[in-house]
Every structure is written in C-alpha cells, then in structure tokens.
Amino acid sequence: MEPPAPRRRVTIVDVARHAQVSTTAVSKVLRNAYGASPEMHAKVRRAIDELGYRPHAGARGLRGQTYTIGVMLPDIRNPFFPEILDGITATLEGTEYQVFLGPGCNGEKAEARVTEAMIDRGMDGIIMIAPVSSRAHLEHVASSVPTVVVGRHGSSPVYDTVADDDIEGASLVVGHLAGLGHRRIAHIEHRETDPTRLAEMPNARRADGYRQAMRAHGLAEWIDVVSTSYTQEGGYQGAKELLDRPHPPTAVFAGADVVAMGVLEAVAEAGLSVPGDVSVAGYDNTTFAALGPISLTSVDQAGYEIGRNAARLLLDRMADRQRPPVRIKLSPALVPRRTTAPPPE
Amino acid sequence: MEPPAPRRRVTIVDVARHAQVSTTAVSKVLRNAYGASPEMHAKVRRAIDELGYRPHAGARGLRGQTYTIGVMLPDIRNPFFPEILDGITATLEGTEYQVFLGPGCNGEKAEARVTEAMIDRGMDGIIMIAPVSSRAHLEHVASSVPTVVVGRHGSSPVYDTVADDDIEGASLVVGHLAGLGHRRIAHIEHRETDPTRLAEMPNARRADGYRQAMRAHGLAEWIDVVSTSYTQEGGYQGAKELLDRPHPPTAVFAGADVVAMGVLEAVAEAGLSVPGDVSVAGYDNTTFAALGPISLTSVDQAGYEIGRNAARLLLDRMADRQRPPVRIKLSPALVPRRTTAPPPE
DNA sequence: CTGGTTTTGGGTAACGTTCCCCACAAGGTG
DNA sequence: CACCTTGTGGGGAACGTTACCCAAAACCAG
C-alpha cells in the first residue's frame, strides 16, 4: 500500500477524453438523459469501466441530485426499526439511491441537528422515523426537501405519512384479553403532555385505543391507566404501582415490549407467576418477544411493509414534488404467545 | 406552508454582501482559518445568524472537507453495536463532524457498495465496524480516506484498529466455568473457512481462546467445538448436537448471546434445566442478556470505550494522515448471571 | 430539391465553497 | 527614514458536475 495515496480521482473529464467525446455527452449517459445515441452509450460505458470512474456525489449535488436518501431514526436500540429499514433498503436496492442513517438520539435538538445536516448535504429525500420533533420542524424540513414521516398520525399538506393503526392494535390486545375472560385489564402508557404529540404520537393513540376498546367490551369501569415511560424501568415502576392496588389487575397491557420486560420483572419479584396470576402483553413484536424463555404476547406492526411504503412514497414525491400528500395506514396483527392465559379462579 | 417552496438557499455570497466583506473573509471565519481579526469574526458571525446561513457541505467537499464521517455497520440488528455508536457520537459531539451510518447488510458486496458510496460523497473519514470484507478491500478504502477498523484483529500499515481481546474473553468464560467445577465445557463457534478471516475475525479468536484456556486449565481432553453460525438457529442446532453426545457437556460456552438463546431453547426442549443440568454462557452482554427472565452469563466488551477510541483515532488520523498506524486492544469483563452454576451431582 | 422537424453532440456558464496568491497597512529594526 | 516583518483583507481560479442553449446532421413530407 502506498502510504501517501496522492493519486487524483478519475473525473468526468478523464472519461470524456478517453472516450473522445464531450463531458456533456458523458453526463447524459450517466443520467440516462435525452440526447445520447445507443453507440454513444456503449462508447462511454466502456470508457467508464476501463477507467473505473465513479461520479462524485458532492459535485453532482451542486447542480442536480446527490442520489442520497437520509433516514432519521431516533433510537438505534429500538429493535423494531431494523424491520422498517429492511423494507426501505429493499425498495431502494434497484435504484441509484444510497441510504444513510442519521442517529437522532431521542431528542428534539438532536433530531434537528441530523435533519439540518441532511439538508446541508443536499440529500434528495428524507424519511423520518417516529420523530419527536414539533410539527413546525417537520414542516420546515419537508418544505426544503421531499419528506416522508413514519409513525406519526397527524397529516400535513407538505409531507406524506406512513403509520400503523395503533388504535386497532390496542383493540386487538384488549379483545384478546377480554376473550380469555379478563375484566381487570390495566394499561401502562408513556406520559405525554404536549398537545400535538398527544394527538400524533403512537403511544398516545395506543392509550386511546385501549380506552375505546375497554368501553366497547363493556369494561369501562375497569379502565386503569398508569403513566410512566416506554422503558424497562417505566414498566417496572408501573407494574409495582398496579400490583399494590387493593384489587390488582389480572392482565397488564404494556404499551411497548420493553415496558413488558419491566412488568415481568416486577411480577416475578412480587412472587406471582405469568400467566398464572397475571397475563402480560406487549407491543411491537420485537426480537426478544419471540425468545423462548420470554415468549411474550405482542402486536406486530408489519415494519417491513411500513418501510417499503415509505420508500415508495418518497420516490414518488421526489419525482413530483407538487402532488398532493398521501397518508398510508397499515393494520397490525396480534401475536399470542405464552404470557397470556385465562385469569385465575 | 408554501407548497412550491422555491426560495433559494442563503449562500456565503449573501453573508459576505450582508456583512460588507469578501466571501474569502467569511470562509476564513467559518473555518477558523488564519487571517481574520476578532472584529471580522464578530461581524461575520452576526451576519450568519441574521440570515440563518448554513454552509453547503457538498460544495465544501469540492475543495476542502465535508465534515462528515461514515460508520459502516454490517448488521443493525446486532444489539452490541449501539454501544459502540454511543461512544462514537459522544466523542464527535463537540466537533463539527456529523456521523452517518451506512447499512452493510452482512455481505462483502453490500459492504463494498456502502463504502464506495461514502467515498463518492467525499466523507472525511470512515469507521468500519466488524467488517467481513477482504483485507484488500479494507486497504483499498483506507488508501483513499482515513479509516479505522473496529473488531478485526489483523493490523495493516494503512488503517488503525480498535478491538476487544477475544482470547481473554474466552478465557474468562472458561475460567469461570472451570472454577464452578465444570470439566465438560463445550463451545459453539461460527464456521469460518477463509484463512484471513480465521486469523482476523473475532469469532475465530474466541474459539482459539477457548482451546487455549481449556488446555491451560488441564481440560484439554474435554475440548469440544461445534461449528454452526452466530444465529439463534445455529445455537439451537449446535446445542442439539451436543446434547445427543454419549457424554453431553455440563456447560456450553456460546460464541455470542444470540447463539446462547438458541441453546436455551434446545436445552428446555430436551427437558433439562438451566443451570441445574447445563450451564450456559454467551458473549457480548447484549441488552437481552440482562433481561430478568433470561439473565444470561455473558462477556461485556466495553462497546462504549471501543467507540470512543475509534472516534478518537479517526480524528487523529484525519489531522495527520502520515502518522504510523495504531492498534488498540481493550479488555472484556465477565458478567456472571443466573445461567451458570456448579455442575450436577 | 426545398423547407421544416427531429436527432445527436458539444460549448459554456453556473452551482457554493476553499485555496493560492497578492496588496496594503501597521509596527518593529537597523 | 529606508527596510523588513507581521497581520489583515480580498481577487480570482479552481473543484466535478449538470442545465441551458445552439449548431450540425439526418430525416421527412410535399
């Protein structure tokens, strides 16, 4: 290996010279643009291969596109996101676009930083996954680059959205538990105060869906919601609070799988068994819900489909920025496992 | 919101005009370059704020840097990587660099695609996490942009490396199990045939470490290695094979936590208990190893430290591309939990 | 064969920065 | 007071690509 590595990159000019044509011609071939004959195509492609030329994305961005798509994800740890990413990358596989992930790190400030960085780098499109940012910021981003928002329920005239129907998901869980004979079904939600988020964030919708479904099953009097956070610790605290009640619930619907993990811990600590004494259900059908020793009943969000649709919408919008915004809502499915069973007695 | 959003981006020229100075001056302030007085700084900064100017990274890249660092990660699902990423982002937090993640999707071709894409976009530095690519490709990347390779043991004159001592990790596990009184300690490894990878990949080193440690504890005659893959399925198959032996092992050291999950499943299926009949240990100390119902004994790789060091090395190398390559090796730590105990009788 | 349309190829000016110089002024030295 | 430094500011040419236009050639109908 040559330590200094000072050799200049092959440019479009080198290709043009080598193929004995103009740079314009090469550019046309690269972009499959109108005005290049089949012979021209062949000649240029050969030169490109011979020289090992690769277009410089930064330079392209100065005039045209960068062929780069940014995906903002708020939390790399969330085991639900990889599914979405697979759907996105699979859809973009055949295209010339390259995906890069921007770590949002769960905060409005961090999210703003990555999205701005994406815009600064001239990315052609942005997919934001479950953003916590304000509506205003989402619209700011969307007004400077084609944007698709995933996992937020509010719609906007400037961006497309793809989301799972959380109301329906919550209803599936409540229906499943009620069907097993449970009446005292409690819910642990992620505390939310901001009014927009109360309307748009999935966690808020799940809590709403829980309440609606309880009423629909004639269980309105047993509605019992504890507000903590979507973390293992939050689940642990929430479950402790519930188990301390004079009449503790026989089933707990945790708003997310991590929360359910905390619940399992608290239940075991109280000397109770799952599902013998308490049934537990989660949400997201993450990888560890499927693990043998855990085997958690959960709700599957069809992450792959979400990703596929998001990528599809983004490609469409990049092709036509004026078209009216589209909202796609997908249906979740219940995955019953061994943490739910009929109540005791 | 304005649907067409045709407003032009604020450029350095706008800032220069607004501050009544030259574009060169603005550029100097932006880069903290020599030749700008404190007053100049103040004047320009004010203009930048007033206009809300943000430099266009693509354009910067044409002449200087893009202030972008690419992190290639082969598998977003691996719950060990977020730790490393946290270390990287924390270190880069204060700098002007922005991190973007490129999904490698576990394959030489996919890895080559992302790394090329990073180079095409003029990224200033690349961190490759546990790459499966050939040594030649790693050196190709490193020779065109400052590179740090994480989790590969071979060293090269063109890139820096950060890795955990897998030999030591394996030795910790064997020592722990032998200390509990086990003799029949088996190991499940990831099958590897390529000679370079046999020498460089962490999985191969763990198997080596296992053999060395067994010999060191005078247990050479009990060495028993099954080759499958680092997946849950691989662990399941490997464990089935081990349990079918005339004298099945009393302890299984799985090369990764996911593998251990498969082992737990197979053990339960065989009607045996953990750790009563069989002790199980994993590697990586992933999030689910810590989950209450699983509580898997594992080896912690200090992922955060790995990330911090990788980012630090990259910054140093970007500052001086000629400096001799550095190799950092970190020490893992054993985390005993409830899946390991003394053998039966 | 004429006058038009279509196809094909290229010249050139951007795009938004930074880098390499040069010019000038202010201060220090003999 | 001539002569160097040193500090400060700017002019202009890159960087690699694409968009916009125009010219020449080829085709076609009347």
Side-chain angles (χ1 to χ4, degrees):
Chain A
M1 285 298 110
E2 49 286 54
R7 76 179 172 295
R8 213 173 49 79
R9 204 183 154 95
V10 178
T11 76
I12 201 173
V13 180
D14 301 321
V15 175
R17 191 159 31 218
H18 190 255
Q20 316 234 47
V21 297
S22 70
T23 58
T24 303
V26 178
S27 177
K28 283 176 182 169
V29 171
L30 282 173
R31 294 172 293 125
N32 286 313
Y34 177 83
S37 62
E39 299 84 58
M40 178 64 90
H41 259 82
K43 194 160 44 167
V44 170
R45 292 238 177 270
R46 185 147 37 82
I48 288 176
D49 289 343
E50 283 173 15
L51 298 181
Y53 165 76
R54 298 189 54 103
H56 187 293
R60 299 181 96 169
L62 233 40
R63 295 289 294 177
Q65 315 178 55
T66 56
Y67 299 91
T68 311
I69 287 174
V71 175
M72 194 284 303
L73 62 173
D75 175 16
I76 339 160
R77 250 166 266 269
N78 189 325
F80 165 55
F81 295 151
E83 296 289 320
I84 301 181
L85 287 174
D86 282 348
I88 294 174
T89 45
T91 306
L92 263 25
E93 190 83 78
T95 72
E96 292 195 275
Y97 293 97
Q98 172 67 39
V99 178
F100 283 109
L101 276 40
C105 303
N106 260 324
E108 286 205 59
K109 251 189 70 188
E111 282 189 10
R113 178 172 165 167
V114 253
T115 48
E116 289 300 324
M118 288 175 176
I119 295 172
D120 294 344
R121 279 146 189 86
M123 295 197 175
D124 301 325
I126 293 182
I127 296 178
M128 302 185 71
I129 300 185
V132 299
S133 295
S134 72
R135 174 76 159 272
H137 183 251
L138 297 183
E139 301 201 319
H140 159 72
V141 171
S143 73
S144 46
V145 52
T147 302
V148 174
V149 174
V150 171
R152 275 276 282 253
H153 291 270
S155 71
S156 159
V158 286
Y159 54 76
D160 301 314
T161 59
V162 183
D164 214 69
D165 190 336
D166 292 289
I167 301 266
E168 190 186 336
S171 158
L172 286 173
V173 173
V174 172
H176 168 69
L177 293 168
L180 287 170
H182 291 272
R183 309 177 79 74
R184 266 188 250 277
I185 304 171
H187 176 60
I188 300 180
E189 70 166 3
H190 181 87
R191 173 172 288 121
E192 201 71 81
T193 52
D194 181 89
T196 337
R197 290 205 212 143
L198 261 175
E200 300 191 355
M201 296 294 282
N203 44 297
R205 303 284 279 219
R206 288 175 199 171
D208 274 0
Y210 159 79
R211 289 195 191 87
Q212 285 178 30
M214 287 295 276
R215 279 191 288 270
H217 284 86
L219 302 172
E221 57 180 312
W222 309 110
I223 289 178
D224 188 358
V225 178
V226 177
S227 285
T228 60
S229 68
Y230 274 12
T231 60
Q232 190 170 348
E233 177 63 17
Y236 179 80
Q237 294 300 342
K240 279 192 87 137
E241 190 178 328
L242 287 170
L243 295 173
D244 274 351
R245 298 234 198 285
H247 292 284
T250 60
V252 177
F253 165 29
D257 282 355
V258 260
V259 178
M261 294 301 124
V263 175
L264 291 179
E265 207 179 317
V267 171
E269 210 177 283
L272 299 170
S273 81
V274 172
D277 300 306
V278 185
S279 284
V280 178
Y283 205 110
D284 286 343
N285 194 28
T286 51
T287 20
F288 52 74
L291 296 175
I294 291 179
S295 189
L296 177 75
T297 295
S298 192
V299 176
D300 189 273
Q301 288 208 53
Y304 189 85
E305 283 305 306
I306 293 180
R308 254 177 30 85
N309 279 285
R312 187 75 256 155
L313 286 184
L314 189 60
L315 289 175
D316 291 350
R317 175 151 302 274
M318 291 192 304
D320 172 16
R321 295 190 54 152
Q322 313 297 334
R323 78 181 192 136
V326 176
R327 293 170 59 183
I328 293 185
K329 196 185 259 186
L330 296 169
S331 285
L334 185 79
V335 183
R337 292 203 184 86
R338 293 201 299 270
T339 54
T340 48
E345 290 141 299
Chain B
M1 285 296 112
E2 50 285 53
R7 75 180 174 294
R8 215 174 47 78
R9 207 182 150 95
V10 177
T11 76
I12 200 174
V13 180
D14 301 322
V15 175
R17 192 160 28 217
H18 190 255
Q20 317 234 47
V21 298
S22 70
T23 58
T24 303
V26 178
S27 178
K28 282 176 182 168
V29 171
L30 282 173
R31 295 171 293 123
N32 285 314
Y34 177 83
S37 62
E39 300 85 57
M40 179 63 91
H41 260 80
K43 193 159 46 165
V44 170
R45 293 237 177 269
R46 186 146 36 83
I48 288 176
D49 289 343
E50 283 173 15
L51 298 180
Y53 165 76
R54 298 189 53 104
H56 186 293
R60 300 182 96 169
L62 234 38
R63 296 289 295 179
Q65 316 179 52
T66 57
Y67 300 92
T68 311
I69 287 175
V71 175
M72 195 284 304
L73 62 172
D75 176 16
I76 339 160
R77 251 167 265 269
N78 190 325
F80 165 56
F81 296 152
E83 295 290 319
I84 301 182
L85 287 174
D86 282 348
I88 294 174
T89 45
T91 306
L92 263 25
E93 189 84 77
T95 73
E96 291 196 275
Y97 293 97
Q98 171 67 40
V99 178
F100 283 109
L101 277 39
C105 302
N106 259 322
E108 286 206 58
K109 252 189 67 188
E111 281 189 9
R113 179 174 164 165
V114 254
T115 49
E116 290 301 323
M118 287 174 176
I119 295 172
D120 295 343
R121 278 150 189 83
M123 294 197 175
D124 301 327
I126 293 182
I127 296 178
M128 302 184 71
I129 300 184
V132 298
S133 296
S134 72
R135 174 74 160 274
H137 183 250
L138 297 184
E139 299 201 320
H140 158 73
V141 171
S143 74
S144 45
V145 52
T147 302
V148 174
V149 174
V150 171
R152 276 274 283 253
H153 291 272
S155 70
S156 158
V158 284
Y159 54 76
D160 302 314
T161 60
V162 182
D164 214 68
D165 191 334
D166 293 288
I167 303 266
E168 189 186 337
S171 156
L172 286 173
V173 173
V174 172
H176 168 67
L177 292 168
L180 287 170
H182 292 272
R183 311 179 79 75
R184 267 189 248 280
I185 304 170
H187 177 59
I188 300 180
E189 70 166 1
H190 181 86
R191 174 171 287 121
E192 201 71 81
T193 52
D194 180 271
T196 336
R197 289 203 213 144
L198 261 174
E200 299 192 356
M201 297 293 284
N203 43 296
R205 304 284 279 219
R206 287 174 200 173
D208 274 0
Y210 159 79
R211 291 195 188 85
Q212 286 179 28
M214 287 295 276
R215 279 191 288 270
H217 284 86
L219 302 174
E221 56 179 312
W222 309 110
I223 288 177
D224 188 0
V225 179
V226 177
S227 285
T228 60
S229 67
Y230 274 10
T231 59
Q232 190 171 349
E233 177 62 18
Y236 179 79
Q237 295 299 343
K240 279 191 87 136
E241 191 179 327
L242 287 170
L243 295 174
D244 274 351
R245 300 235 197 282
H247 292 285
T250 60
V252 178
F253 165 29
D257 282 354
V258 261
V259 178
M261 293 300 124
V263 175
L264 291 180
E265 208 180 318
V267 171
E269 210 178 283
L272 299 171
S273 81
V274 171
D277 301 304
V278 186
S279 283
V280 178
Y283 205 110
D284 284 344
N285 194 27
T286 51
T287 21
F288 52 73
L291 296 176
I294 291 179
S295 189
L296 177 75
T297 294
S298 192
V299 177
D300 190 273
Q301 287 208 54
Y304 188 85
E305 283 306 306
I306 293 180
R308 252 175 33 84
N309 279 284
R312 187 74 255 152
L313 286 185
L314 189 60
L315 289 175
D316 290 351
R317 176 151 302 275
M318 291 191 305
D320 173 15
R321 295 189 55 153
Q322 314 296 336
R323 75 180 195 139
V326 177
R327 295 170 58 184
I328 293 184
K329 196 184 259 186
L330 297 170
S331 285
L334 185 79
V335 183
R337 292 205 184 84
R338 293 200 298 269
T339 55
T340 48
E345 295 138 297

